[in-house]
Structure formats: structure tokens, C-alpha cells
Amino acid sequence: MASNFYESIPIFDDFAEAVRPQNYRPLPDDWVVGFSDVVGSTEAVAKGRYKAVNMVGAGVIAAVANALDRRPFPFVFGGDGASFAASASDATAAAGALAAMAAFAREEFHFDLRVATIPVKEIRSAGRDVRVARYGATPHCVYAMFAGGGLGWFEAQAKRGDYALPPAAPGTRPNLSGLSCRWGVASAKHGLILSLIVAPRGDDPRFGALVDEVVRMALAAPLSGRPVTLASLGVANPGKAIALEAAVTTAAGVSHARARVSAAASYLLGVTFHLFKLKAGGFDAALYASDVAANADFRKFDDGLRMTLDCSAAFADALEARLDAAEDFANWGAFRQEAAQLTCFVPSITERGHVHFVDGAGGGYTMAAKAMKARLGGGATAT
């Protein structure tokens, strides 16, 4: 059945295999694609609000996942937003979650969250495609990869105002249970955290070989460039973490005062379990922390390659030089910062499939996208 399409496709445990074009399957025509992004995210980064930007981007995934009763569906986190696909039977629920998230982002974070959906068949009518692959970061955690040009094309249309969904009525709230930001990540171990976006310029067949080469360069770096390791995990800044989780808790109808007390208690409990590696019931804090590092979503493909890498300045220089040599068929942007950050979706602390979205702590993918626009002559306009 078309509704079970995503669960039926193979899972690749090698990222280099997961990004190869031949390993993607076309989405059914009756599916829909959803898109979201925070308007003015570059300005928000400049004001030091990138943790909040990430929280809203990951919140879209949490809202849709909960609206679909946590049935598996393909999604990709983009830093200041997210893209996903849903079956025809889930389209209405997914659109409702997007609209509710837009209302919530406006009222709780003062962000204009742009949201839109489109049928897959309309993307194909425009000469693009949406194909998907599954990458198993671990046996317990699977992420989607997208190819075919459809997501990139739809993003451009959505940013022009096409296919827009209006925000839900004021006071409408999405179900954001499982969304959290309690983890902090230590400074880069190898010199810097590099946020990188590499996108095709047209349909040049050389792009696939370039992606393969860049991925292999990253895999050859120390610890495969992982910005999140068990050794680097720590607790997040308590003030920011509690404030953001309190905002999320209000989505469940809890008052701001009670939400802050609840978020503070949850934060302190989580810190205690982590520091002393405690166990309770079916929860093992040490195993959970190990899974956080292993499940971290620090590399992905969504019509282009996105990676957040812990690397040396010399490695970053070599990587950027290679991309410079491919500028006739590839667009790219990079941003260097001192640390990474995590935003998490944990439906259950006793199950090992929790997902952890990684971005750079200094602006990450938003600033890499800004750099790519500047290289294209688009200036430093906000996204």
C-alpha cells in the first residue's frame, strides 16, 4: 500500500551508500510534501536566538510526528525549518500540525514560521521529482534522505508565497511532547565546527561524484568528523534550556508559571541522572547518553549535502578548496564556529530510536546558506 511505502524501502547503514542516486525510490504520486522555515532566521541568529530557531525547526518534526501518532514518515531537519513527506491519508493531519506550529511559533517565540504543502504529482508536473532513501545511523535510529530536485524546487516556490498554509487560529497549539533541548555539546575537539551545504547547479552528472568525494573526505577525518561524541556531551545552559522547554510545555495548555517549574524540575532530574549515570525502571542514563551520540543527525542529503563536522582548520581549507574547484556545477556555503548544538525529539526515554538534530552553535546551516547566497551574488539577505 502507498501509505506503507516509506517503511518498505531498504535501510542503508553506510552513509556513502545512502547518498548515491541509484538508492533512492520515488514517492507515490498521491503523497504530499511539507516545508517550513523561520522567516528572518539570519537576523535571529545575529540576536543570539539560534537555539530558539533550532527549537522551532525541530518542533515542526515533533508536531507532525505526534499528529501522525508517531507512524514512521520521511523528514529532514534544516536548522531553521524542516521538510517532510506524508501519505495521502496523513496529509490533512500533517497540514494541521504545520498550521498549529506556525501559530505557536508566532505567539511563543515571535517568529514568522512559513509553512506550505504540495502534492508530489504537482512537483512532477513541474519537471522535478521527489525520491527518498533511508539511512540507519544505528540499528535503532533511521533518517530519511531526499533526492530528485523536488524539495529544492518546492522551497523556492514556498519562499515566493506559493502553496502557503495560513497559521491556525490564535491560541491553537501543536502537540510537541518529546521535544527537548537539555544537552550541551563541548567545544570542537579538532579545532572548529564546520557547517556545510553543497547543492547542485543544474543537472550536471558530476555532482554525484563530488558528493561521494566530499563524503569520503569527511569519513576519513578523525572520528569521521562527528561533532557529538559521548565525551563531548554535557548539559545545556540551564537558563536557555529551561526557558525553551517551558515554552514548549505551554503548547500542552499549561500556564507559563507551571511550565517553567515543570521544565526546571525535568532539567534538574535529567542532569542528576546524567552526572551519576543512574538507572530507573527501563531507563539507563549511561546507555541513553551513548545512544544520543550514536543517533545524532549530523549529516544528511536533501537535494544537496548538509554536514556539521568537527574538524581542523586545515581540513576545512582543503574541503573548501575542493568545492571551489567545482563551482561550475556545484553551489556551496560553509560556516565555521566553536561548538555544535543539539535539539532532540525523544518520544520515549526507554526506547532507543530517539532522534537528535545537530547544528552549529554559532548559526550553523543558516549562516552556511547565507554564505552560499553571497557566493551566488545574492548578497546577505535573511532567510
Short mmCIF file of all heavy atoms in Angstrom, two decimals, residues 65-135:
data_model
loop_
_atom_site.label_atom_id
_atom_site.label_comp_id
_atom_site.label_asym_id
_atom_site.label_seq_id
_atom_site.Cartn_x
_atom_site.Cartn_y
_atom_site.Cartn_z
N ALA A 65 5.05 14.48 13.67
CA ALA A 65 5.17 13.10 14.17
C ALA A 65 4.06 12.77 15.15
O ALA A 65 3.44 11.70 15.08
CB ALA A 65 6.54 12.90 14.82
N ASN A 66 3.79 13.67 16.06
CA ASN A 66 2.73 13.43 17.04
C ASN A 66 1.35 13.44 16.40
O ASN A 66 0.47 12.67 16.79
CB ASN A 66 2.81 14.46 18.17
CG ASN A 66 4.01 14.23 19.09
OD1 ASN A 66 4.38 13.09 19.34
ND2 ASN A 66 4.61 15.31 19.57
N ALA A 67 1.15 14.31 15.41
CA ALA A 67 -0.14 14.35 14.70
C ALA A 67 -0.39 13.06 13.94
O ALA A 67 -1.55 12.66 13.73
CB ALA A 67 -0.18 15.53 13.75
N LEU A 68 0.68 12.39 13.52
CA LEU A 68 0.57 11.12 12.79
C LEU A 68 0.67 9.93 13.73
O LEU A 68 0.94 8.80 13.28
CB LEU A 68 1.65 11.02 11.71
CG LEU A 68 1.72 12.17 10.68
CD1 LEU A 68 2.70 11.82 9.58
CD2 LEU A 68 0.36 12.47 10.11
N ASP A 69 0.49 10.16 15.01
CA ASP A 69 0.58 9.10 16.02
C ASP A 69 1.92 8.38 15.97
O ASP A 69 2.03 7.19 16.26
CB ASP A 69 -0.56 8.09 15.85
CG ASP A 69 -1.93 8.72 16.08
OD1 ASP A 69 -2.03 9.58 16.97
OD2 ASP A 69 -2.88 8.37 15.34
N ARG A 70 2.95 9.14 15.57
CA ARG A 70 4.33 8.67 15.53
C ARG A 70 4.56 7.51 14.57
O ARG A 70 5.49 6.71 14.74
CB ARG A 70 4.83 8.35 16.93
CG ARG A 70 4.84 9.62 17.81
CD ARG A 70 5.28 9.37 19.23
NE ARG A 70 5.29 10.64 19.97
CZ ARG A 70 5.46 10.73 21.28
NH1 ARG A 70 5.65 9.63 21.98
NH2 ARG A 70 5.46 11.90 21.89
N ARG A 71 3.72 7.43 13.54
CA ARG A 71 4.00 6.48 12.46
C ARG A 71 5.23 6.96 11.71
O ARG A 71 5.42 8.17 11.53
CB ARG A 71 2.80 6.39 11.50
CG ARG A 71 1.58 5.72 12.09
CD ARG A 71 0.49 5.56 11.03
NE ARG A 71 -0.06 6.83 10.61
CZ ARG A 71 -1.01 7.50 11.27
NH1 ARG A 71 -1.49 7.02 12.42
NH2 ARG A 71 -1.47 8.65 10.81
N PRO A 72 6.09 6.05 11.25
CA PRO A 72 7.29 6.49 10.52
C PRO A 72 6.93 7.30 9.28
O PRO A 72 6.02 6.94 8.53
CB PRO A 72 7.97 5.17 10.14
CG PRO A 72 7.46 4.18 11.15
CD PRO A 72 6.05 4.58 11.42
N PHE A 73 7.63 8.41 9.06
CA PHE A 73 7.47 9.22 7.86
C PHE A 73 8.81 9.88 7.56
O PHE A 73 9.62 10.10 8.46
CB PHE A 73 6.36 10.27 8.04
CG PHE A 73 6.71 11.39 9.00
CD1 PHE A 73 7.05 12.65 8.52
CD2 PHE A 73 6.71 11.19 10.38
CE1 PHE A 73 7.38 13.69 9.39
CE2 PHE A 73 7.02 12.21 11.26
CZ PHE A 73 7.37 13.47 10.76
N PRO A 74 9.09 10.20 6.31
CA PRO A 74 10.39 10.80 5.97
C PRO A 74 10.42 12.28 6.28
O PRO A 74 9.52 13.03 5.91
CB PRO A 74 10.51 10.54 4.46
CG PRO A 74 9.11 10.41 3.97
CD PRO A 74 8.30 9.85 5.11
N PHE A 75 11.48 12.72 6.96
CA PHE A 75 11.65 14.14 7.28
C PHE A 75 13.13 14.48 7.26
O PHE A 75 13.99 13.60 7.37
CB PHE A 75 11.05 14.47 8.64
CG PHE A 75 11.65 13.70 9.79
CD1 PHE A 75 12.87 14.05 10.33
CD2 PHE A 75 10.99 12.59 10.32
CE1 PHE A 75 13.44 13.32 11.39
CE2 PHE A 75 11.54 11.87 11.37
CZ PHE A 75 12.76 12.24 11.90
N VAL A 76 13.42 15.77 7.15
CA VAL A 76 14.79 16.23 7.24
C VAL A 76 14.81 17.58 7.95
O VAL A 76 13.99 18.46 7.67
CB VAL A 76 15.46 16.32 5.84
CG1 VAL A 76 14.77 17.33 4.95
CG2 VAL A 76 16.94 16.63 5.96
N PHE A 77 15.72 17.73 8.90
CA PHE A 77 15.88 18.95 9.68
C PHE A 77 16.84 19.87 8.96
O PHE A 77 17.92 19.45 8.54
CB PHE A 77 16.41 18.57 11.06
CG PHE A 77 16.84 19.73 11.92
CD1 PHE A 77 15.89 20.59 12.46
CD2 PHE A 77 18.17 19.93 12.22
CE1 PHE A 77 16.28 21.65 13.27
CE2 PHE A 77 18.58 20.97 13.03
CZ PHE A 77 17.63 21.84 13.56
N GLY A 78 16.46 21.14 8.82
CA GLY A 78 17.30 22.08 8.08
C GLY A 78 17.87 23.21 8.91
O GLY A 78 18.38 24.17 8.34
N GLY A 79 17.79 23.15 10.22
CA GLY A 79 18.31 24.21 11.06
C GLY A 79 17.23 25.20 11.44
O GLY A 79 16.78 25.27 12.58
N ASP A 80 16.78 25.99 10.44
CA ASP A 80 15.73 26.97 10.71
C ASP A 80 14.37 26.49 10.21
O ASP A 80 13.43 27.27 10.08
CB ASP A 80 16.07 28.32 10.07
CG ASP A 80 16.15 28.26 8.56
OD1 ASP A 80 16.11 27.14 7.99
OD2 ASP A 80 16.26 29.34 7.94
N GLY A 81 14.25 25.19 9.96
CA GLY A 81 12.98 24.63 9.49
C GLY A 81 13.14 23.16 9.21
O GLY A 81 14.10 22.52 9.65
N ALA A 82 12.19 22.62 8.47
CA ALA A 82 12.21 21.19 8.16
C ALA A 82 11.39 20.94 6.91
O ALA A 82 10.50 21.73 6.55
CB ALA A 82 11.64 20.38 9.33
N SER A 83 11.67 19.83 6.24
CA SER A 83 10.87 19.34 5.13
C SER A 83 10.48 17.90 5.44
O SER A 83 11.19 17.20 6.17
CB SER A 83 11.65 19.38 3.82
OG SER A 83 11.97 20.71 3.46
N PHE A 84 9.36 17.45 4.89
CA PHE A 84 8.91 16.09 5.13
C PHE A 84 7.96 15.67 4.03
O PHE A 84 7.55 16.48 3.18
CB PHE A 84 8.21 16.00 6.50
CG PHE A 84 6.92 16.75 6.58
CD1 PHE A 84 5.70 16.17 6.23
CD2 PHE A 84 6.90 18.08 7.00
CE1 PHE A 84 4.52 16.87 6.29
CE2 PHE A 84 5.71 18.79 7.07
CZ PHE A 84 4.51 18.18 6.70
N ALA A 85 7.61 14.40 4.03
CA ALA A 85 6.60 13.87 3.12
C ALA A 85 5.63 13.03 3.93
O ALA A 85 6.01 12.42 4.93
CB ALA A 85 7.23 13.04 2.01
N ALA A 86 4.38 13.01 3.50
CA ALA A 86 3.34 12.24 4.20
C ALA A 86 2.41 11.61 3.19
O ALA A 86 2.19 12.14 2.09
CB ALA A 86 2.56 13.14 5.16
N SER A 87 1.86 10.47 3.55
CA SER A 87 0.93 9.77 2.68
C SER A 87 -0.36 10.55 2.52
O SER A 87 -0.66 11.46 3.32
CB SER A 87 0.63 8.38 3.24
OG SER A 87 -0.12 8.48 4.43
N ALA A 88 -1.15 10.19 1.51
CA ALA A 88 -2.42 10.88 1.28
C ALA A 88 -3.33 10.80 2.50
O ALA A 88 -4.00 11.78 2.85
CB ALA A 88 -3.12 10.27 0.06
N SER A 89 -3.32 9.68 3.18
CA SER A 89 -4.19 9.52 4.35
C SER A 89 -3.74 10.36 5.53
O SER A 89 -4.52 10.61 6.46
CB SER A 89 -4.27 8.04 4.75
OG SER A 89 -2.98 7.54 5.07
N ASP A 90 -2.46 10.79 5.53
CA ASP A 90 -1.94 11.59 6.63
C ASP A 90 -1.83 13.07 6.27
O ASP A 90 -1.40 13.88 7.11
CB ASP A 90 -0.54 11.09 7.03
CG ASP A 90 -0.59 9.79 7.83
OD1 ASP A 90 -1.61 9.57 8.51
OD2 ASP A 90 0.38 9.02 7.76
N ALA A 91 -2.18 13.45 5.04
CA ALA A 91 -1.95 14.81 4.57
C ALA A 91 -2.68 15.85 5.40
O ALA A 91 -2.13 16.90 5.74
CB ALA A 91 -2.35 14.92 3.10
N THR A 92 -3.94 15.60 5.72
CA THR A 92 -4.72 16.59 6.47
C THR A 92 -4.16 16.80 7.87
O THR A 92 -4.03 17.94 8.35
CB THR A 92 -6.19 16.15 6.55
OG1 THR A 92 -6.73 16.05 5.23
CG2 THR A 92 -7.01 17.14 7.34
N ALA A 93 -3.82 15.71 8.55
CA ALA A 93 -3.25 15.83 9.90
C ALA A 93 -1.91 16.56 9.86
O ALA A 93 -1.61 17.39 10.73
CB ALA A 93 -3.08 14.44 10.51
N ALA A 94 -1.09 16.28 8.86
CA ALA A 94 0.21 16.93 8.75
C ALA A 94 0.05 18.43 8.51
O ALA A 94 0.76 19.25 9.12
CB ALA A 94 1.03 16.31 7.63
N ALA A 95 -0.88 18.80 7.63
CA ALA A 95 -1.12 20.22 7.36
C ALA A 95 -1.63 20.93 8.61
O ALA A 95 -1.24 22.07 8.90
CB ALA A 95 -2.11 20.38 6.21
N GLY A 96 -2.48 20.27 9.36
CA GLY A 96 -2.98 20.86 10.60
C GLY A 96 -1.86 21.10 11.61
O GLY A 96 -1.84 22.13 12.31
N ALA A 97 -0.91 20.16 11.67
CA ALA A 97 0.22 20.32 12.58
C ALA A 97 1.09 21.50 12.16
O ALA A 97 1.59 22.26 13.00
CB ALA A 97 1.04 19.04 12.62
N LEU A 98 1.29 21.66 10.85
CA LEU A 98 2.08 22.79 10.35
C LEU A 98 1.41 24.11 10.72
O LEU A 98 2.06 25.06 11.18
CB LEU A 98 2.23 22.70 8.83
CG LEU A 98 3.28 21.77 8.26
CD1 LEU A 98 3.25 21.82 6.74
CD2 LEU A 98 4.67 22.14 8.76
N ALA A 99 0.10 24.20 10.48
CA ALA A 99 -0.62 25.43 10.78
C ALA A 99 -0.58 25.76 12.26
O ALA A 99 -0.40 26.92 12.67
CB ALA A 99 -2.07 25.31 10.29
N ALA A 100 -0.73 24.74 13.11
CA ALA A 100 -0.67 24.95 14.55
C ALA A 100 0.72 25.38 14.98
O ALA A 100 0.89 26.25 15.86
CB ALA A 100 -1.08 23.67 15.28
N MET A 101 1.75 24.80 14.35
CA MET A 101 3.12 25.18 14.68
C MET A 101 3.40 26.62 14.30
O MET A 101 4.12 27.34 15.01
CB MET A 101 4.10 24.22 13.97
CG MET A 101 5.53 24.33 14.45
SD MET A 101 5.73 23.84 16.18
CE MET A 101 7.28 24.66 16.55
N ALA A 102 2.84 27.07 13.18
CA ALA A 102 3.02 28.46 12.76
C ALA A 102 2.41 29.42 13.78
O ALA A 102 3.00 30.45 14.12
CB ALA A 102 2.41 28.67 11.38
N ALA A 103 1.22 29.08 14.28
CA ALA A 103 0.58 29.92 15.30
C ALA A 103 1.40 29.93 16.59
O ALA A 103 1.62 30.99 17.20
CB ALA A 103 -0.84 29.41 15.58
N PHE A 104 1.87 28.76 17.00
CA PHE A 104 2.67 28.64 18.22
C PHE A 104 3.98 29.42 18.11
O PHE A 104 4.37 30.15 19.03
CB PHE A 104 2.95 27.16 18.48
CG PHE A 104 3.95 26.89 19.56
CD1 PHE A 104 3.63 27.09 20.90
CD2 PHE A 104 5.22 26.43 19.25
CE1 PHE A 104 4.56 26.84 21.90
CE2 PHE A 104 6.16 26.17 20.24
CZ PHE A 104 5.82 26.38 21.57
N ALA A 105 4.68 29.30 16.97
CA ALA A 105 5.96 29.99 16.78
C ALA A 105 5.77 31.50 16.85
O ALA A 105 6.61 32.22 17.41
CB ALA A 105 6.57 29.60 15.44
N ARG A 106 4.66 31.97 16.31
CA ARG A 106 4.39 33.41 16.33
C ARG A 106 4.10 33.91 17.75
O ARG A 106 4.62 34.95 18.18
CB ARG A 106 3.22 33.73 15.41
CG ARG A 106 2.79 35.20 15.40
CD ARG A 106 1.72 35.44 14.36
NE ARG A 106 2.23 35.21 13.02
CZ ARG A 106 1.47 35.24 11.92
NH1 ARG A 106 0.16 35.46 12.02
NH2 ARG A 106 2.01 35.04 10.73
N GLU A 107 3.31 33.17 18.49
CA GLU A 107 2.85 33.65 19.80
C GLU A 107 3.85 33.40 20.92
O GLU A 107 3.95 34.20 21.85
CB GLU A 107 1.50 33.01 20.12
CG GLU A 107 0.39 33.47 19.18
CD GLU A 107 -0.87 32.64 19.28
OE1 GLU A 107 -1.10 32.01 20.33
OE2 GLU A 107 -1.63 32.60 18.29
N GLU A 108 4.61 32.30 20.85
CA GLU A 108 5.56 31.98 21.92
C GLU A 108 6.98 32.47 21.64
O GLU A 108 7.71 32.83 22.56
CB GLU A 108 5.58 30.47 22.17
CG GLU A 108 4.32 29.93 22.81
CD GLU A 108 4.10 30.46 24.21
OE1 GLU A 108 5.09 30.78 24.90
OE2 GLU A 108 2.93 30.57 24.63
N PHE A 109 7.38 32.49 20.36
CA PHE A 109 8.75 32.86 20.02
C PHE A 109 8.85 34.15 19.20
O PHE A 109 9.95 34.61 18.93
CB PHE A 109 9.42 31.71 19.23
CG PHE A 109 9.66 30.47 20.04
CD1 PHE A 109 8.77 29.42 20.04
CD2 PHE A 109 10.79 30.36 20.84
CE1 PHE A 109 8.99 28.27 20.78
CE2 PHE A 109 11.04 29.22 21.59
CZ PHE A 109 10.13 28.18 21.56
N HIS A 110 7.71 34.66 18.77
CA HIS A 110 7.67 35.86 17.91
C HIS A 110 8.42 35.64 16.60
O HIS A 110 9.08 36.54 16.09
CB HIS A 110 8.24 37.07 18.67
CG HIS A 110 7.58 37.30 20.00
ND1 HIS A 110 6.26 37.69 20.13
CD2 HIS A 110 8.05 37.14 21.27
CE1 HIS A 110 5.95 37.78 21.41
NE2 HIS A 110 7.01 37.45 22.13
N PHE A 111 8.30 34.42 16.09
CA PHE A 111 8.86 34.07 14.78
C PHE A 111 7.73 33.94 13.76
O PHE A 111 6.67 33.40 14.08
CB PHE A 111 9.60 32.73 14.83
CG PHE A 111 10.92 32.75 15.54
CD1 PHE A 111 11.40 31.60 16.17
CD2 PHE A 111 11.72 33.89 15.60
CE1 PHE A 111 12.62 31.58 16.82
CE2 PHE A 111 12.94 33.89 16.26
CZ PHE A 111 13.38 32.73 16.86
N ASP A 112 8.00 34.39 12.56
CA ASP A 112 7.10 34.13 11.44
C ASP A 112 7.55 32.82 10.81
O ASP A 112 8.58 32.78 10.13
CB ASP A 112 7.17 35.28 10.44
CG ASP A 112 6.24 35.08 9.24
OD1 ASP A 112 5.46 34.09 9.25
OD2 ASP A 112 6.31 35.88 8.29
N LEU A 113 6.83 31.75 11.07
CA LEU A 113 7.18 30.44 10.52
C LEU A 113 6.39 30.24 9.23
O LEU A 113 5.16 30.14 9.24
CB LEU A 113 6.86 29.34 11.51
CG LEU A 113 7.21 27.91 11.06
CD1 LEU A 113 8.72 27.74 10.94
CD2 LEU A 113 6.62 26.87 12.01
N ARG A 114 7.11 30.18 8.13
CA ARG A 114 6.49 29.95 6.82
C ARG A 114 6.22 28.45 6.67
O ARG A 114 7.12 27.63 6.87
CB ARG A 114 7.45 30.44 5.74
CG ARG A 114 7.01 30.24 4.32
CD ARG A 114 7.87 31.05 3.38
NE ARG A 114 9.25 31.22 3.81
CZ ARG A 114 10.00 32.29 3.53
NH1 ARG A 114 9.53 33.28 2.83
NH2 ARG A 114 11.26 32.35 3.95
N VAL A 115 4.99 28.08 6.34
CA VAL A 115 4.63 26.67 6.17
C VAL A 115 3.86 26.49 4.86
O VAL A 115 3.09 27.35 4.46
CB VAL A 115 3.80 26.14 7.36
CG1 VAL A 115 4.63 26.13 8.63
CG2 VAL A 115 2.54 26.96 7.58
N ALA A 116 4.09 25.36 4.22
CA ALA A 116 3.46 25.10 2.93
C ALA A 116 3.42 23.60 2.66
O ALA A 116 4.25 22.85 3.19
CB ALA A 116 4.23 25.80 1.79
N THR A 117 2.47 23.17 1.84
CA THR A 117 2.40 21.77 1.40
C THR A 117 2.07 21.74 -0.08
O THR A 117 1.47 22.67 -0.63
CB THR A 117 1.33 20.95 2.16
OG1 THR A 117 0.05 21.53 1.94
CG2 THR A 117 1.63 20.90 3.64
N ILE A 118 2.44 20.63 -0.73
CA ILE A 118 2.18 20.47 -2.15
C ILE A 118 2.06 18.97 -2.46
O ILE A 118 2.81 18.16 -1.88
CB ILE A 118 3.32 21.09 -3.00
CG1 ILE A 118 3.00 21.06 -4.50
CG2 ILE A 118 4.65 20.40 -2.72
CD1 ILE A 118 4.03 21.79 -5.35
N PRO A 119 1.15 18.57 -3.36
CA PRO A 119 1.10 17.17 -3.77
C PRO A 119 2.34 16.80 -4.59
O PRO A 119 2.84 17.61 -5.38
CB PRO A 119 -0.16 17.09 -4.64
CG PRO A 119 -0.97 18.29 -4.27
CD PRO A 119 0.03 19.35 -3.92
N VAL A 120 2.83 15.60 -4.41
CA VAL A 120 4.00 15.14 -5.16
C VAL A 120 3.76 15.23 -6.66
O VAL A 120 4.65 15.60 -7.44
CB VAL A 120 4.38 13.71 -4.74
CG1 VAL A 120 5.43 13.12 -5.69
CG2 VAL A 120 4.90 13.70 -3.31
N LYS A 121 2.54 14.93 -7.09
CA LYS A 121 2.27 14.94 -8.53
C LYS A 121 2.43 16.33 -9.13
O LYS A 121 2.80 16.46 -10.31
CB LYS A 121 0.87 14.40 -8.81
CG LYS A 121 -0.27 15.19 -8.21
CD LYS A 121 -1.61 14.51 -8.51
CE LYS A 121 -2.77 15.26 -7.85
NZ LYS A 121 -4.06 14.56 -8.09
N GLU A 122 2.21 17.39 -8.34
CA GLU A 122 2.42 18.74 -8.86
C GLU A 122 3.91 19.04 -9.02
O GLU A 122 4.30 19.76 -9.93
CB GLU A 122 1.75 19.77 -7.95
CG GLU A 122 0.23 19.77 -8.05
CD GLU A 122 -0.39 21.04 -7.49
OE1 GLU A 122 0.23 22.12 -7.62
OE2 GLU A 122 -1.49 20.94 -6.93
N ILE A 123 4.72 18.52 -8.12
CA ILE A 123 6.17 18.68 -8.28
C ILE A 123 6.63 17.99 -9.56
O ILE A 123 7.44 18.54 -10.32
CB ILE A 123 6.90 18.11 -7.04
CG1 ILE A 123 6.60 18.96 -5.80
CG2 ILE A 123 8.41 18.04 -7.28
CD1 ILE A 123 7.20 18.45 -4.51
N ARG A 124 6.10 16.81 -9.80
CA ARG A 124 6.49 16.09 -11.02
C ARG A 124 5.98 16.81 -12.27
O ARG A 124 6.66 16.80 -13.31
CB ARG A 124 5.96 14.65 -10.96
CG ARG A 124 6.68 13.83 -9.89
CD ARG A 124 6.49 12.34 -10.01
NE ARG A 124 7.35 11.67 -9.06
CZ ARG A 124 6.95 10.91 -8.04
NH1 ARG A 124 5.64 10.70 -7.87
NH2 ARG A 124 7.81 10.37 -7.21
N SER A 125 4.82 17.45 -12.18
CA SER A 125 4.31 18.21 -13.32
C SER A 125 5.23 19.38 -13.65
O SER A 125 5.27 19.84 -14.80
CB SER A 125 2.90 18.73 -13.01
OG SER A 125 1.99 17.67 -12.89
N ALA A 126 5.98 19.86 -12.65
CA ALA A 126 6.91 20.96 -12.87
C ALA A 126 8.28 20.48 -13.34
O ALA A 126 9.21 21.29 -13.48
CB ALA A 126 7.07 21.76 -11.58
N GLY A 127 8.40 19.17 -13.59
CA GLY A 127 9.65 18.64 -14.12
C GLY A 127 10.67 18.23 -13.07
O GLY A 127 11.82 17.95 -13.40
N ARG A 128 10.25 18.18 -11.82
CA ARG A 128 11.15 17.73 -10.74
C ARG A 128 10.62 16.42 -10.17
O ARG A 128 9.53 15.99 -10.49
CB ARG A 128 11.25 18.77 -9.63
CG ARG A 128 11.66 20.16 -10.07
CD ARG A 128 13.06 20.17 -10.69
NE ARG A 128 13.59 21.51 -10.78
CZ ARG A 128 13.30 22.39 -11.72
NH1 ARG A 128 12.42 22.06 -12.65
NH2 ARG A 128 13.86 23.58 -11.74
N ASP A 129 11.40 15.80 -9.30
CA ASP A 129 10.97 14.56 -8.68
C ASP A 129 11.26 14.60 -7.19
O ASP A 129 12.04 15.44 -6.72
CB ASP A 129 11.68 13.36 -9.33
CG ASP A 129 10.96 12.04 -9.08
OD1 ASP A 129 9.88 12.06 -8.46
OD2 ASP A 129 11.47 10.99 -9.52
N VAL A 130 10.64 13.71 -6.45
CA VAL A 130 10.94 13.53 -5.02
C VAL A 130 11.18 12.05 -4.79
O VAL A 130 10.27 11.24 -4.90
CB VAL A 130 9.80 14.02 -4.11
CG1 VAL A 130 10.25 13.95 -2.64
CG2 VAL A 130 9.38 15.43 -4.46
N ARG A 131 12.43 11.73 -4.51
CA ARG A 131 12.81 10.35 -4.23
C ARG A 131 13.40 10.29 -2.83
O ARG A 131 13.97 11.27 -2.34
CB ARG A 131 13.82 9.84 -5.27
CG ARG A 131 13.30 9.91 -6.70
CD ARG A 131 14.18 9.12 -7.66
NE ARG A 131 15.55 9.58 -7.69
CZ ARG A 131 16.00 10.56 -8.46
NH1 ARG A 131 15.17 11.22 -9.26
NH2 ARG A 131 17.28 10.92 -8.44
N VAL A 132 13.29 9.15 -2.20
CA VAL A 132 13.69 9.04 -0.81
C VAL A 132 14.50 7.78 -0.57
O VAL A 132 14.30 6.75 -1.24
CB VAL A 132 12.45 9.09 0.12
CG1 VAL A 132 11.58 7.86 -0.08
CG2 VAL A 132 12.84 9.25 1.58
N ALA A 133 15.45 7.87 0.35
CA ALA A 133 16.22 6.72 0.82
C ALA A 133 16.21 6.74 2.34
O ALA A 133 15.88 7.77 2.95
CB ALA A 133 17.65 6.76 0.28
N ARG A 134 16.58 5.63 2.95
CA ARG A 134 16.65 5.57 4.41
C ARG A 134 18.07 5.22 4.84
O ARG A 134 18.68 4.27 4.35
CB ARG A 134 15.67 4.53 4.97
CG ARG A 134 14.22 4.92 4.79
CD ARG A 134 13.31 4.17 5.76
NE ARG A 134 13.25 2.75 5.47
CZ ARG A 134 12.68 1.85 6.28
NH1 ARG A 134 12.15 2.23 7.43
NH2 ARG A 134 12.65 0.58 5.95
N TYR A 135 18.57 6.01 5.79
CA TYR A 135 19.91 5.80 6.35
C TYR A 135 19.79 5.45 7.82
O TYR A 135 19.19 6.19 8.61
CB TYR A 135 20.76 7.06 6.17
CG TYR A 135 22.03 7.05 7.00
CD1 TYR A 135 22.99 6.07 6.81
CD2 TYR A 135 22.25 8.02 7.97
CE1 TYR A 135 24.15 6.05 7.58
CE2 TYR A 135 23.40 8.02 8.74
CZ TYR A 135 24.35 7.02 8.54
OH TYR A 135 25.49 6.99 9.30
#
